[in-house]
């Protein structure tokens, strides 16, 4: 389908539809409506599976929205644009992103924030902002969107503020993983923790986000990158991302923050917590050195969680920070992250451990549920 023949028209294409919670996705023919004002229709070429997709597909502990098209890590090409879209044109290479940048709100105008008032992630909304309707349907029945992206479809419609235009020289089958987890971990280190060359960094949780955080520490030249995880099977793989020491909290009969403080003459310079576990959050904060230590929380806790630490930990000049999407503004900042890959500063190939055809998308879910690999690439053209 060429842009000339499809612009302004309904496109029929294949999408992986989740009809109900926890059931295998079904490849269906869907109708994708043209983009409305400030929207973009994108041909998805590559997508990958993130744990967030699986969490909301299982629909445990949140409002279920079905039938739905999941997917939010992807790379594609603009097919057509709606009224008012001036910064993108058909043929542009783009990354759809689950959070956005409207450019006009206080957060977008702030150099310190990326939490756009208009386009901040909303997991409950299954429709477009413009008219409160979906752009997907099957025989007139609406199929709901997921976090404004729905990349498990050959074509999708996204708000222009949630689309990052990137250098077409960058292979989309590699940079597609920057749409979510990898940028989240990388930015947590580079933009928020900000370790310096020769410093000591502890990474709590060695999943995809934690490994990306370790990659950030490797890029800046941290001398000691200590991986902390309850699963020792992750340690060997983590060496590829710069981790050069490892701690399994289960191997000790005292708090892991005490172990780390002992290993590092009083505490690490920086820590990045990527598990969402409350005990790991406490440990990540309490293991940083007094006077200059900074801990960054990335993992998302359960909604009723709370943790306690003694106020003296703050008074002794330890700093605790949180981050969302690595503090990257999607449209403004992601293009520069792509350039890091082009310039061989950032390595992405090692994050992609599996690959499946779109018709086999359920295998990607199987890999993640079994804890196998880091990211599974899904090729739409097969």
């Amino acid at each position: 389908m060429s842009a000339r023949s499809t612009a302004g028209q309904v496109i029929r294409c294949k999408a992986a539809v989740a009809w109900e919670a926890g059931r295998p996705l079904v490849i269906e023919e869907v109708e994708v409506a043209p983009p409305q004002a400030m929207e973009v229709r994108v041909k998805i070429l590559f997508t990958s599976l993130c744990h967030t997709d699986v969490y909301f597909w299982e629909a445990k502990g949140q409002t279920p929205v079905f039938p739905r098209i999941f997917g939010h890590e992807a790379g594609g090409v603009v097919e057509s644009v709606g009224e008012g879209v001036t910064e993108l044109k058909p043929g542009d290479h783009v990354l759809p992103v689950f959070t956005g940048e409207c450019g006009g709100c206080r957060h977008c105008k702030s150099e310190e924030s990326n939490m756009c008032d208009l386009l901040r992630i909303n997991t409950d909304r299954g429709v477009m902002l413009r008219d409160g309707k979906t752009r997907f349907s099957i025989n007139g029945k609406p199929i709901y969107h997921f976090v404004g992206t729905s990349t498990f479809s050959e074509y999708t419609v996204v708000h222009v503020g949630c689309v990052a235009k990137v250098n077409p020289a960058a292979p989309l089958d590699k940079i597609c993983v920057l749409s979510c987890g990898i940028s989240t971990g990388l930015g947590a280190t580079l933009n928020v923790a900000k370790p310096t060359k020769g410093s000591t960094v502890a990474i709590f949780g060695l999943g995809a986000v934690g490994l990306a955080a370790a990659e950030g520490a490797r890029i800046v030249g941290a001398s000691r990158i200590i991986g902390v995880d309850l699963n020792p099977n992750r340690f060997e793989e983590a060496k590829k991302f710069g981790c050069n020491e490892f701690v399994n909290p289960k191997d000790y009969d005292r708090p892991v923050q005490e172990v780390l403080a002992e290993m590092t003459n009083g505490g690490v310079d920086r820590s990045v917590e990527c598990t969402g576990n409350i005990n790991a959050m406490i440990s990540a904060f309490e293991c940083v050195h007094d006077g200059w230590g900074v801990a960054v929380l990335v993992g998302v806790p359960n909604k009723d969680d709370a943790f306690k630490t003694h106020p003296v930990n703050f008074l002794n000049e330890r700093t605790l920070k949180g981050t969302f999407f690595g503090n990257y503004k999607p449209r403004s900042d992601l293009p520069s992250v792509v350039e890091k890959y082009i310039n061989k500063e950032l390595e992405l190939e090692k994050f992609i451990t599996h690959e499946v055809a779109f018709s086999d998308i359920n295998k990607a879910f199987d890999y993640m549920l079994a804890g196998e690999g880091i990211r599974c690439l899904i090729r739409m053209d097969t």
Side-chain angles (χ1 to χ4, degrees):
M1 288 182 177
S2 69
R4 184 176 302 165
S5 66
T6 57
Q9 300 179 28
V10 171
I11 288 178
R12 288 177 175 80
C13 69
K14 291 179 181 176
V17 178
W19 288 102
E20 55 184 299
R23 303 289 296 174
L25 306 188
V26 181
I27 303 294
E28 305 274 13
E29 181 176 88
V30 300
E31 295 182 341
V32 185
Q36 294 196 14
M38 304 308 291
E39 295 176 358
V40 182
R41 190 160 58 185
V42 178
K43 180 177 184 179
I44 300 296
L45 298 178
F46 303 96
T47 187
S48 55
L49 180 66
C50 170
H51 184 265
T52 304
D53 294 307
V54 175
Y55 179 77
F56 283 93
W57 165 74
E58 290 178 324
K60 295 176 180 175
Q62 80 276 142
T63 306
V65 181
F66 294 96
R68 200 172 207 181
I69 297 173
F70 286 100
H72 64 283
E73 282 190 352
V77 176
V78 173
E79 175 270 338
S80 61
V81 301
E83 179 187 346
V85 176
T86 58
E87 56 269 64
L88 292 169
K89 64 184 186 303
D92 283 344
H93 284 214
V94 295
L95 302 180
V97 186
F98 66 92
T99 188
E101 183 183 350
C102 73
C105 71
R106 289 181 303 164
H107 286 278
C108 287
K109 290 179 177 177
S110 166
E111 293 183 2
E112 299 181 53
S113 176
N114 66 340
M115 301 188 73
C116 175
D117 281 331
L118 179 67
L119 300 170
R120 189 181 304 187
I121 184 173
N122 184 323
T123 56
D124 292 334
R125 186 174 61 232
V127 295
M128 299 299 287
L129 282 171
R130 178 72 184 177
D131 58 359
K133 296 179 180 178
T134 70
R135 301 290 174 264
F136 299 110
S137 61
I138 296 179
N139 299 324
K141 178 181 173 63
I143 307 296
Y144 295 104
H145 298 249
F146 178 63
V147 295
T149 52
S150 293
T151 62
F152 293 166
S153 174
E154 292 177 325
Y155 287 85
T156 189
V157 177
V158 185
H159 190 286
V160 66
C162 298
V163 180
K165 180 181 176 180
V166 297
N167 188 336
L172 289 169
D173 61 338
K174 304 298 186 297
I175 65 169
C176 65
V177 297
L178 291 173
S179 286
C180 181
I182 309 310
S183 293
T184 296
L186 184 73
T189 299
L190 297 181
N191 299 334
V192 188
K194 298 180 180 177
T196 56
K197 185 175 181 179
S199 59
T200 300
V201 181
I203 308 293
F204 285 74
L206 298 176
V209 176
L211 293 175
E215 176 77 357
R218 182 195 68 79
I219 289 172
V220 301
S223 61
R224 298 176 70 183
I225 304 175
I226 305 170
V228 182
D229 202 293
L230 296 170
N231 182 359
N233 294 329
R234 290 176 159 181
F235 294 166
E236 192 61 35
E237 184 81 14
K239 292 178 182 177
K240 298 177 186 176
F241 300 84
C243 289
N244 47 28
E245 298 177 57
F246 300 95
V247 172
N248 182 345
K250 290 193 290 189
D251 292 342
Y252 301 90
D253 56 6
R254 64 189 192 278
V256 71
Q257 54 265 47
E258 294 180 12
V259 176
L260 290 164
E262 189 176 286
M263 289 171 60
T264 56
N265 192 26
V268 299
D269 301 309
R270 301 289 187 267
S271 70
V272 185
E273 188 286 321
C274 304
T275 71
N277 177 276
I278 288 300
N279 292 324
M281 291 180 180
I282 297 169
S283 298
F285 176 51
E286 295 183 353
C287 80
V288 299
H289 206 289
D290 59 5
W292 62 80
V294 178
V296 178
L297 304 185
V298 183
V300 179
N302 293 322
K303 64 177 182 178
D304 296 325
D305 281 345
F307 70 77
K308 290 198 302 185
T309 189
H310 201 285
V312 167
N313 289 320
F314 292 98
L315 297 175
N316 286 343
E317 300 183 3
R318 294 178 178 89
T319 300
L320 179 64
K321 293 184 174 184
T323 181
F324 169 70
F325 193 50
N327 231 52
Y328 287 120
K329 292 179 186 283
R331 292 199 290 176
S332 299
D333 297 335
L334 277 191
S336 65
V337 182
V338 170
E339 294 303 315
K340 284 184 185 294
Y341 171 73
I342 292 175
N343 296 333
K344 296 184 166 41
E345 298 171 53
L346 169 64
E347 300 169 8
L348 293 177
E349 287 82 357
K350 58 194 177 186
F351 287 98
I352 301 168
T353 52
H354 294 80
E355 189 175 309
V356 297
F358 186 40
S359 57
D360 292 326
I361 189 170
N362 288 302
K363 285 184 180 177
F365 282 75
D366 293 340
Y367 290 138
M368 182 159 285
L369 291 169
E372 294 181 22
I374 304 169
R375 276 293 182 267
C376 180
L377 182 73
I378 299 158
R379 291 185 171 271
M380 307 300 287
D381 59 0
T382 51

